[in-house]
Amino acid sequence: MSILETALTIAAGQHGSLAVRQLTREGATEGEIRHLVDARQFLRVTPVVLRRTGTARSRGQELVEAVLDAGEGAALSHLPGTAWWRLPVRPGGIEVCRLRGAASVPPRLARVHELRSFPAHHRTVYRGVPVTVPARLPFDVAAVAPSQAAKVLDRAWARGLVTSRL
């Protein structure tokens, strides 16, 4: 499979965008990645994020690009995470969680919360965007909008996204 085919496959599952690190993990060289941009197959959104040329802009694409820009293991969180799960309590800018020290690059597309512990089971991919799991969202929201946390929990419970099972 060519690097272009690999890039298209990755981007297809991520609203038309991908991280440079995803291509390098698949064996792409800096020159091959530069060629994808020079040939106008992809646009460089940030130094670490590429977008497929000609894709329609969407909220999902904006969110996935912010998560990819935040680094490996990042996930949409807090109030925008509730909106992505369709549990909105009020609008907010893009917020992303990542493990503290996981990336040395400052974020360009989102407010990043660096956590001391961010286990893999606290993240999932929902509708093509890496996002924190619903059970974590009330805690994330409590950190930035304490009065909204109970609403998030109630709405997640009503939709069956969280349960009392241990």
Side-chain angles (χ1 to χ4, degrees), residues 1-10 23 26-28 32 36:
M1 182 182 297
S2 73
I3 292 304
L4 176 59
E5 291 169 328
T6 300
L8 292 173
T9 300
I10 294 169
L23 286 177
E26 294 295 323
E32 289 170 322
L36 291 176

Side-chain angles (χ1 to χ4, degrees), residues 21-113:
R21 70 180 171 277
Q22 293 175 304
L23 286 177
T24 57
R25 205 172 18 239
E26 294 295 323
T29 65
E30 284 184 34
E32 289 170 322
I33 294 168
R34 193 175 326 105
H35 178 72
L36 291 176
V37 174
D38 292 346
R40 297 196 171 115
Q41 295 293 325
F42 282 83
L43 304 169
R44 194 170 287 279
V45 178
T46 70
V48 297
V49 178
L50 304 177
R51 177 187 312 138
R52 175 71 169 134
T53 303
T55 56
R57 291 293 286 152
S58 67
R59 180 65 172 166
Q61 187 177 68
E62 180 183 17
L63 296 173
V64 85
E65 287 173 357
V67 171
L68 293 172
D69 183 61
E72 191 75 45
L76 183 67
S77 61
H78 295 74
L79 294 170
T82 66
W84 195 246
W85 281 103
R86 298 182 178 125
L87 306 169
V89 289
R90 67 179 166 94
I94 300 174
E95 296 182 73
V96 174
C97 283
R98 71 180 179 195
L99 189 60
R100 183 175 293 167
S104 60
V105 178
R108 289 160 287 269
L109 304 175
R111 177 179 176 201
V112 173
H113 301 270

